[in-house]
Amino acid sequence: STLGMADQWYNNQCHDYLRTRSQATATSYGAGFIVVFMNVFFTWLMDRAGVFEKHQSLDKMEESNMVRLFLLKFVNSGCIVLLYGQKWLQQIVRIRFEDAADFNEDWYATGGTSLMIVMMMNIFAPHIGSFVACFRHRAKIR
């Protein structure tokens, strides 16, 4: 039979494993939240910057913002997660990850999971502001 989370915590043999696994999971989710927060920040920043650029039309401003946002979010969401395992990049920034550089089983357990977390959060993050505005509006009506 398998042990529950509380039983694993009080079992000396499982305690270190559970703590390490919990820290790794929390770090992975934390990194995902940071990436999503940066994407939301980029959207806000590009919207603010677009107002100052004196575009001839609203369509031109939106087009300019979308191109820059696409590039920023692509680098932030995809490239960084995929590049962090590259040896040449690790030498440039002088850090070393003990992770697989190729797309093998180990990568899917670490880098692939992080990439999926970021993508799932990026689905919901743009809609949070609309939900908050809706709930505030409903609270005012009552």
Side-chain angles (χ1 to χ4, degrees):
S1 77
T2 59
L3 295 175
M5 181 92 55
D7 295 332
Q8 288 179 21
W9 184 257
Y10 293 114
N11 186 341
N12 289 336
Q13 295 172 338
C14 299
H15 183 76
D16 291 336
Y17 171 78
L18 184 62
R19 185 179 58 222
T20 303
R21 192 73 170 158
S22 299
Q23 288 173 344
T25 302
T27 302
S28 182
Y29 280 101
F33 278 113
I34 289 171
V35 168
V36 171
F37 172 76
M38 289 305 296
N39 285 345
V40 170
F41 174 72
F42 290 151
T43 302
W44 175 82
L45 185 64
M46 290 301 112
D47 286 342
R48 297 290 182 240
V51 173
F52 295 110
E53 290 182 347
K54 309 291 185 210
H55 291 280
Q56 293 179 357
S57 68
L58 186 60
D59 288 339
K60 292 288 185 188
M61 182 182 78
E62 290 295 328
E63 179 184 346
S64 174
N65 285 351
M66 284 305 296
V67 169
R68 286 181 292 184
L69 277 174
F70 171 77
L71 292 173
L72 285 169
K73 287 182 178 185
F74 175 73
V75 169
N76 190 37
S77 298
C79 291
I80 290 177
V81 174
L82 295 175
L83 287 175
Y84 83 96
Q86 302 298 316
K87 301 295 182 201
W88 61 270
L89 184 62
Q90 291 178 10
Q91 290 173 351
I92 290 173
V93 295
R94 294 190 178 131
I95 57 173
R96 175 127 167 79
F97 295 109
E98 297 297 326
D99 196 13
D102 342 349
F103 296 108
N104 59 18
E105 289 179 25
D106 294 333
W107 183 85
Y108 285 103
T110 55
T113 303
S114 299
L115 185 60
M116 290 303 296
I117 290 168
V118 167
M119 293 299 117
M120 292 299 293
M121 286 191 287
N122 273 330
I123 291 171
F124 298 107
H127 306 291
I128 292 173
S130 299
F131 285 127
V132 169
C134 177
F135 289 128
R136 283 184 180 171
H137 180 70
R138 292 180 83 190
K140 286 181 183 178
I141 292 174
R142 293 180 186 180

